[in-house]
Amino acid sequence: MLIALMAQDKPGALQTRLDNRDKHVAYLKETGVVSQAGPLLDNNEQMIGSLVILDVDDMAAAQAWAANDPYAKADLFAEVKLVPWKKVI
């Protein structure tokens, strides 16, 4: 099951993102369930959020993955949405 994780950073949290980026990227790689991932950008190309496509068994697995993300543990996000997604192209 593909799940799109869309997360919006808290205002002014760029340093929190940068401080935890290496742990977050390692988590993306080591968990083996990430199909695609990358930061969301503002008009100045500054990172302001995340888009992660997870390939997991169910929504509960996606929720557990999201809760264990180093960015979530660092309290980076103002909002996180987990939405089932269907790849077309």
Side-chain angles (χ1 to χ4, degrees):
M1 167 180 222
L2 296 174
I3 305 284
L5 179 152
M6 297 169 286
Q8 186 72 37
D9 294 357
K10 290 180 177 177
L14 180 58
Q15 192 59 52
T16 301
R17 175 175 279 275
L18 295 173
D19 291 346
N20 291 279
R21 187 169 170 81
D22 289 344
K23 289 184 278 187
H24 168 73
V25 171
Y27 183 69
L28 293 174
K29 292 176 181 178
E30 72 189 21
T31 56
V33 298
V34 177
S35 172
Q36 300 177 62
L40 300 173
L41 306 175
D42 66 13
N43 291 335
N44 297 315
E45 296 194 20
Q46 293 294 311
M47 295 179 285
I48 57 165
S50 296
L51 172 63
V52 180
I53 305 299
L54 301 169
D55 189 352
V56 292
D57 290 335
D58 53 31
M59 184 60 76
Q63 291 167 334
W65 188 96
N68 287 300
D69 180 355
Y71 279 170
K73 290 183 174 187
D75 200 28
L76 173 63
F77 301 129
E79 180 181 14
V80 176
K81 293 181 183 178
L82 293 166
V83 181
W85 183 69
K86 180 178 180 180
K87 181 178 180 179
V88 175
I89 298 174

